[in-house]
Amino acid sequence: MIRVTEQESKYHDIDQMSVLEILKGINEEDKLVPQAVEKAIPQIEKLATAVAERMADGGRLFYIGAGTSGRLGVVDASECPPTFGVPFDWVVGIIAGGDTAIRKAVENAEDDVDQAWIDLQEYNINAKDSLIGLAASGTTPYVVSGLNTARSKGILTGCIVCNEGGPIAAESDFPVEVVVGPEFLTGSTRMKSGTAQKLVLNMLSTTVMIRLGRVKGNKMVDMQLTNHKLVDRGTQMVMDELHIDYDHAAELLLRYGSVRKAVEASRANDNK
Protein backbone atom coordinates (compact mmCIF):
# COMPACT_ATOMS: atom_id res chain seq x y z
CA MET A 1 0.00 0.00 0.00
CA ILE A 2 1.31 3.43 -1.00
CA ARG A 3 0.33 6.13 1.51
CA VAL A 4 -0.22 8.91 -0.99
CA THR A 5 -1.97 11.00 1.65
CA GLU A 6 1.25 11.13 3.67
CA GLN A 7 3.57 12.02 0.82
CA GLU A 8 5.39 15.33 0.98
CA SER A 9 3.70 18.39 -0.50
CA LYS A 10 5.06 19.52 -3.84
CA TYR A 11 5.09 23.05 -2.41
CA HIS A 12 8.17 23.98 -0.40
CA ASP A 13 8.77 26.77 2.12
CA ILE A 14 5.08 27.56 2.31
CA ASP A 15 5.76 29.40 5.54
CA GLN A 16 7.64 31.93 3.42
CA MET A 17 4.83 32.42 0.89
CA SER A 18 2.63 35.47 0.64
CA VAL A 19 -1.05 35.15 1.42
CA LEU A 20 -1.85 35.25 -2.30
CA GLU A 21 0.70 32.51 -3.06
CA ILE A 22 -0.75 30.29 -0.32
CA LEU A 23 -4.29 30.74 -1.57
CA LYS A 24 -3.35 30.08 -5.18
CA GLY A 25 -1.43 26.96 -4.19
CA ILE A 26 -4.34 25.55 -2.20
CA ASN A 27 -6.70 26.35 -5.05
CA GLU A 28 -4.47 24.61 -7.60
CA GLU A 29 -4.51 21.47 -5.48
CA ASP A 30 -8.27 21.68 -4.91
CA LYS A 31 -8.83 21.66 -8.67
CA LEU A 32 -7.51 18.09 -8.74
CA VAL A 33 -10.22 16.77 -6.41
CA PRO A 34 -13.20 16.61 -8.84
CA GLN A 35 -10.99 14.84 -11.36
CA ALA A 36 -10.11 12.16 -8.82
CA VAL A 37 -13.77 11.79 -7.84
CA GLU A 38 -14.74 11.41 -11.50
CA LYS A 39 -12.38 8.46 -11.85
CA ALA A 40 -14.12 6.79 -8.90
CA ILE A 41 -17.67 7.15 -10.26
CA PRO A 42 -17.90 3.45 -11.29
CA GLN A 43 -17.09 2.49 -7.69
CA ILE A 44 -19.53 5.05 -6.31
CA GLU A 45 -22.25 3.72 -8.64
CA LYS A 46 -21.86 0.19 -7.30
CA LEU A 47 -21.95 1.35 -3.69
CA ALA A 48 -24.96 3.66 -4.18
CA THR A 49 -26.89 0.94 -6.00
CA ALA A 50 -26.23 -1.63 -3.30
CA VAL A 51 -27.10 0.76 -0.45
CA ALA A 52 -30.32 1.90 -2.15
CA GLU A 53 -31.42 -1.71 -2.61
CA ARG A 54 -30.78 -2.48 1.06
CA MET A 55 -32.60 0.64 2.24
CA ALA A 56 -35.56 -0.06 -0.04
CA ASP A 57 -35.84 -3.39 1.78
CA GLY A 58 -35.97 -1.71 5.20
CA GLY A 59 -32.28 -1.27 5.94
CA ARG A 60 -30.44 1.75 7.29
CA LEU A 61 -27.19 3.45 6.35
CA PHE A 62 -24.38 3.89 8.87
CA TYR A 63 -21.15 5.86 8.58
CA ILE A 64 -18.18 5.36 10.90
CA GLY A 65 -14.98 7.34 10.96
CA ALA A 66 -12.52 9.29 13.07
CA GLY A 67 -11.44 12.91 13.00
CA THR A 68 -12.37 14.87 9.88
CA SER A 69 -13.74 11.77 8.17
CA GLY A 70 -16.00 10.96 11.10
CA ARG A 71 -17.24 14.55 11.29
CA LEU A 72 -18.10 14.51 7.58
CA GLY A 73 -20.16 11.34 8.10
CA VAL A 74 -22.03 12.96 10.97
CA VAL A 75 -22.72 16.03 8.82
CA ASP A 76 -24.08 13.99 5.91
CA ALA A 77 -26.26 11.86 8.16
CA SER A 78 -27.64 14.88 10.02
CA GLU A 79 -28.58 16.62 6.78
CA CYS A 80 -30.68 13.75 5.37
CA PRO A 81 -33.78 14.20 7.60
CA PRO A 82 -34.29 17.94 6.92
CA THR A 83 -33.43 17.60 3.23
CA PHE A 84 -35.38 14.45 2.40
CA GLY A 85 -37.87 14.14 5.27
CA VAL A 86 -36.58 10.74 6.34
CA PRO A 87 -36.56 9.46 9.95
CA PHE A 88 -33.50 10.42 11.99
CA ASP A 89 -32.44 6.79 12.33
CA TRP A 90 -32.36 6.07 8.60
CA VAL A 91 -28.86 7.49 8.15
CA VAL A 92 -26.58 7.42 11.20
CA GLY A 93 -23.13 8.99 11.55
CA ILE A 94 -20.83 7.64 14.25
CA ILE A 95 -17.47 9.21 15.12
CA ALA A 96 -14.70 7.61 17.15
CA GLY A 97 -14.72 9.20 20.58
CA GLY A 98 -18.44 9.95 20.52
CA ASP A 99 -20.17 13.29 20.09
CA THR A 100 -17.42 15.03 22.07
CA ALA A 101 -15.07 14.31 19.16
CA ILE A 102 -17.21 16.36 16.79
CA ARG A 103 -15.82 19.52 18.40
CA LYS A 104 -12.69 18.33 20.18
CA ALA A 105 -10.18 15.62 19.33
CA VAL A 106 -10.40 12.60 21.64
CA GLU A 107 -7.01 11.06 22.35
CA ASN A 108 -6.44 7.55 20.92
CA ALA A 109 -10.10 7.14 19.90
CA GLU A 110 -9.24 6.15 16.35
CA ASP A 111 -6.90 3.40 17.59
CA ASP A 112 -9.53 1.61 19.71
CA VAL A 113 -10.23 -1.64 17.87
CA ASP A 114 -13.11 -2.68 20.14
CA GLN A 115 -15.19 0.48 20.36
CA ALA A 116 -16.60 0.64 16.82
CA TRP A 117 -18.75 -2.45 17.18
CA ILE A 118 -19.84 -1.34 20.66
CA ASP A 119 -20.94 1.98 19.18
CA LEU A 120 -22.79 0.26 16.33
CA GLN A 121 -24.58 -2.15 18.65
CA GLU A 122 -26.22 0.81 20.39
CA TYR A 123 -28.29 1.17 17.21
CA ASN A 124 -29.03 -2.56 16.89
CA ILE A 125 -27.30 -2.70 13.52
CA ASN A 126 -28.27 -5.85 11.62
CA ALA A 127 -27.90 -7.70 8.33
CA LYS A 128 -30.40 -5.45 6.55
CA ASP A 129 -28.19 -2.43 7.11
CA SER A 130 -25.18 -0.96 5.29
CA LEU A 131 -21.99 0.33 6.90
CA ILE A 132 -19.58 2.73 5.21
CA GLY A 133 -16.16 3.37 6.69
CA LEU A 134 -14.68 6.83 6.21
CA ALA A 135 -10.92 7.31 6.50
CA ALA A 136 -8.59 9.29 4.27
CA SER A 137 -5.68 7.00 5.14
CA GLY A 138 -7.64 3.80 4.59
CA THR A 139 -6.03 2.33 7.70
CA THR A 140 -7.82 3.71 10.79
CA PRO A 141 -8.06 0.80 13.30
CA TYR A 142 -11.47 1.89 14.66
CA VAL A 143 -12.92 1.75 11.15
CA VAL A 144 -11.12 -1.44 10.10
CA SER A 145 -12.41 -3.38 13.10
CA GLY A 146 -15.94 -2.04 12.74
CA LEU A 147 -16.13 -3.09 9.11
CA ASN A 148 -14.57 -6.47 9.83
CA THR A 149 -17.12 -7.35 12.50
CA ALA A 150 -20.03 -5.98 10.49
CA ARG A 151 -19.04 -7.94 7.41
CA SER A 152 -18.81 -11.16 9.42
CA LYS A 153 -22.44 -10.63 10.42
CA GLY A 154 -23.75 -10.19 6.88
CA ILE A 155 -23.90 -6.39 6.92
CA LEU A 156 -23.07 -4.74 3.59
CA THR A 157 -19.81 -2.80 3.85
CA GLY A 158 -18.30 0.02 1.85
CA CYS A 159 -15.77 2.78 2.32
CA ILE A 160 -14.58 6.15 1.09
CA VAL A 161 -10.80 6.38 1.33
CA CYS A 162 -8.01 8.35 -0.36
CA ASN A 163 -5.30 5.68 -0.61
CA GLU A 164 -5.53 2.52 -2.67
CA GLY A 165 -5.22 -1.01 -1.37
CA GLY A 166 -5.51 -0.41 2.36
CA PRO A 167 -7.11 -2.60 5.04
CA ILE A 168 -10.35 -0.61 5.07
CA ALA A 169 -10.88 -1.22 1.36
CA ALA A 170 -10.07 -4.90 1.95
CA GLU A 171 -12.90 -5.10 4.50
CA SER A 172 -15.37 -3.43 2.12
CA ASP A 173 -17.72 -5.15 -0.28
CA PHE A 174 -17.90 -1.89 -2.24
CA PRO A 175 -14.75 0.21 -1.76
CA VAL A 176 -14.51 3.74 -3.11
CA GLU A 177 -10.91 4.88 -3.45
CA VAL A 178 -10.42 8.53 -4.41
CA VAL A 179 -6.70 9.24 -4.72
CA VAL A 180 -6.29 13.00 -4.70
CA GLY A 181 -2.51 13.04 -4.23
CA PRO A 182 -0.35 14.74 -1.60
CA GLU A 183 -1.88 17.61 0.33
CA PHE A 184 -0.77 21.25 -0.01
CA LEU A 185 0.17 21.06 3.66
CA THR A 186 1.92 17.71 4.02
CA GLY A 187 -0.36 15.11 5.62
CA SER A 188 -3.25 17.51 6.30
CA THR A 189 -6.02 15.26 5.04
CA ARG A 190 -8.74 17.66 6.18
CA MET A 191 -7.92 19.48 2.93
CA LYS A 192 -8.12 17.67 -0.45
CA SER A 193 -8.96 14.30 1.08
CA GLY A 194 -11.72 15.80 3.20
CA THR A 195 -13.11 17.65 0.21
CA ALA A 196 -13.13 14.45 -1.83
CA GLN A 197 -14.95 12.55 0.91
CA LYS A 198 -17.53 15.32 1.21
CA LEU A 199 -18.15 15.27 -2.54
CA VAL A 200 -18.60 11.51 -2.57
CA LEU A 201 -20.92 11.62 0.45
CA ASN A 202 -23.04 14.24 -1.31
CA MET A 203 -23.21 12.04 -4.39
CA LEU A 204 -23.95 8.89 -2.44
CA SER A 205 -26.70 10.07 -0.11
CA THR A 206 -28.41 12.22 -2.74
CA THR A 207 -28.42 9.37 -5.25
CA VAL A 208 -29.75 6.91 -2.68
CA MET A 209 -32.54 9.26 -1.61
CA ILE A 210 -33.55 9.89 -5.21
CA ARG A 211 -33.69 6.14 -5.83
CA LEU A 212 -35.84 5.78 -2.71
CA GLY A 213 -38.37 8.24 -4.13
CA ARG A 214 -37.60 11.13 -1.80
CA VAL A 215 -37.31 13.57 -4.72
CA LYS A 216 -39.88 14.47 -7.36
CA GLY A 217 -38.64 16.00 -10.59
CA ASN A 218 -35.76 18.03 -9.20
CA LYS A 219 -37.48 19.15 -6.00
CA MET A 220 -37.03 18.25 -2.32
CA VAL A 221 -40.73 17.53 -1.85
CA ASP A 222 -40.26 15.87 1.55
CA MET A 223 -38.00 18.49 3.14
CA GLN A 224 -38.75 19.51 6.71
CA LEU A 225 -40.19 23.01 7.12
CA THR A 226 -37.82 24.12 9.85
CA ASN A 227 -37.49 27.83 9.03
CA HIS A 228 -39.12 30.67 7.08
CA LYS A 229 -36.80 30.19 4.09
CA LEU A 230 -37.84 26.56 3.69
CA VAL A 231 -41.52 27.36 4.16
CA ASP A 232 -41.22 29.94 1.39
CA ARG A 233 -39.36 27.49 -0.84
CA GLY A 234 -41.99 24.83 -0.23
CA THR A 235 -44.78 27.31 -0.94
CA GLN A 236 -43.21 28.14 -4.28
CA MET A 237 -43.05 24.43 -5.12
CA VAL A 238 -46.73 23.96 -4.32
CA MET A 239 -47.61 27.05 -6.37
CA ASP A 240 -45.67 25.74 -9.39
CA GLU A 241 -47.10 22.23 -9.13
CA LEU A 242 -50.76 23.17 -8.60
CA HIS A 243 -50.81 26.53 -10.43
CA ILE A 244 -52.34 28.37 -7.48
CA ASP A 245 -51.57 31.65 -5.72
CA TYR A 246 -49.02 32.06 -2.92
CA ASP A 247 -51.45 32.35 -0.02
CA HIS A 248 -53.40 29.26 -1.02
CA ALA A 249 -50.18 27.30 -1.52
CA ALA A 250 -48.85 28.38 1.88
CA GLU A 251 -52.09 27.38 3.60
CA LEU A 252 -51.96 23.91 2.01
CA LEU A 253 -48.29 23.46 2.84
CA LEU A 254 -48.69 24.36 6.50
CA ARG A 255 -51.83 22.26 6.84
CA TYR A 256 -50.28 19.09 5.45
CA GLY A 257 -46.68 19.61 6.54
CA SER A 258 -44.80 18.85 3.32
CA VAL A 259 -44.86 19.69 -0.38
CA ARG A 260 -45.63 16.11 -1.32
CA LYS A 261 -48.56 15.77 1.09
CA ALA A 262 -49.98 19.17 0.16
CA VAL A 263 -49.95 18.39 -3.55
CA GLU A 264 -51.32 14.88 -3.11
CA ALA A 265 -54.12 16.05 -0.81
CA SER A 266 -55.11 18.86 -3.16
CA ARG A 267 -55.25 16.56 -6.16
CA ALA A 268 -57.17 13.94 -4.24
CA ASN A 269 -59.77 16.56 -3.28
CA ASP A 270 -60.02 17.74 -6.88
CA ASN A 271 -60.73 14.18 -8.04
CA LYS A 272 -63.59 13.61 -5.61
Side-chain angles (χ1 to χ4, degrees):
M1 174 188 177
I2 300 175
R3 293 177 177 266
V4 177
T5 55
E6 297 300 320
Q7 290 180 350
E8 185 175 355
S9 170
K10 67 181 183 181
Y11 298 82
H12 301 286
D13 300 319
I14 60 176
D15 57 330
Q16 303 301 314
M17 288 181 176
S18 68
V19 170
L20 182 59
E21 289 171 329
I22 293 169
L23 295 175
K24 285 186 173 181
I26 293 171
N27 182 243
E28 284 301 312
E29 290 303 304
D30 285 345
K31 291 176 184 177
L32 303 175
V33 176
Q35 298 171 16
V37 172
E38 182 179 16
K39 292 178 182 177
I41 285 178
Q43 293 180 325
I44 302 168
E45 178 191 17
K46 291 177 182 177
L47 177 59
T49 300
V51 170
E53 289 174 352
R54 284 284 181 106
M55 294 190 76
D57 195 36
R60 297 164 294 167
L61 173 58
F62 288 83
Y63 300 129
I64 56 169
T68 297
S69 298
R71 294 182 189 102
L72 289 169
V74 171
V75 167
D76 194 75
S78 66
E79 290 174 344
C80 285
T83 305
F84 301 107
V86 298
F88 282 93
D89 62 352
W90 264 33
V91 185
V92 179
I94 298 173
I95 182 170
D99 286 355
T100 298
I102 295 173
R103 293 182 179 274
K104 183 179 179 181
V106 176
E107 187 175 359
N108 297 323
E110 71 173 58
D111 296 324
D112 192 330
V113 297
D114 299 316
Q115 191 61 42
W117 185 246
I118 294 171
D119 292 343
L120 288 163
Q121 283 182 298
E122 290 185 15
Y123 296 89
N124 297 313
I125 191 170
N126 60 73
K128 281 190 172 184
D129 299 325
S130 303
L131 175 63
I132 297 177
L134 307 172
S137 68
T139 62
T140 306
Y142 176 87
V143 179
V144 174
S145 64
L147 290 171
N148 176 273
T149 304
R151 200 177 192 187
S152 72
K153 297 181 181 299
I155 296 165
L156 182 148
T157 59
C159 69
I160 304 171
V161 297
C162 296
N163 288 322
E164 289 183 312
I168 288 176
E171 295 293 350
S172 300
D173 301 313
F174 298 95
V176 175
E177 298 169 308
V178 186
V179 183
V180 296
E183 299 287 356
F184 174 80
L185 178 61
T186 300
S188 181
T189 52
R190 72 184 186 90
M191 301 185 77
K192 287 195 300 182
S193 297
T195 301
Q197 289 181 307
K198 174 59 174 168
L199 289 176
V200 175
L201 286 166
N202 286 349
M203 295 167 75
L204 175 67
S205 58
T206 302
T207 300
V208 167
M209 292 299 158
I210 292 170
R211 297 297 292 174
L212 293 175
R214 309 304 297 196
V215 171
K216 182 173 176 58
N218 60 7
K219 302 293 194 301
M220 297 180 288
V221 294
D222 293 317
M223 67 180 181
Q224 294 178 354
L225 308 174
T226 54
N227 57 50
H228 292 303
K229 177 190 73 175
L230 296 179
V231 171
D232 180 67
R233 182 186 297 168
T235 300
Q236 296 288 342
M237 291 184 198
V238 175
M239 286 177 64
D240 293 343
E241 191 69 23
L242 298 178
H243 307 292
I244 58 178
D245 63 51
Y246 187 94
D247 290 342
H248 187 192
E251 188 274 326
L252 286 172
L253 180 67
L254 294 175
R255 186 196 310 174
Y256 292 103
S258 76
V259 174
R260 183 192 298 274
K261 291 178 181 178
V263 170
E264 289 177 351
S266 178
R267 287 178 172 161
N269 289 332
D270 289 343
N271 292 328
K272 286 182 180 179

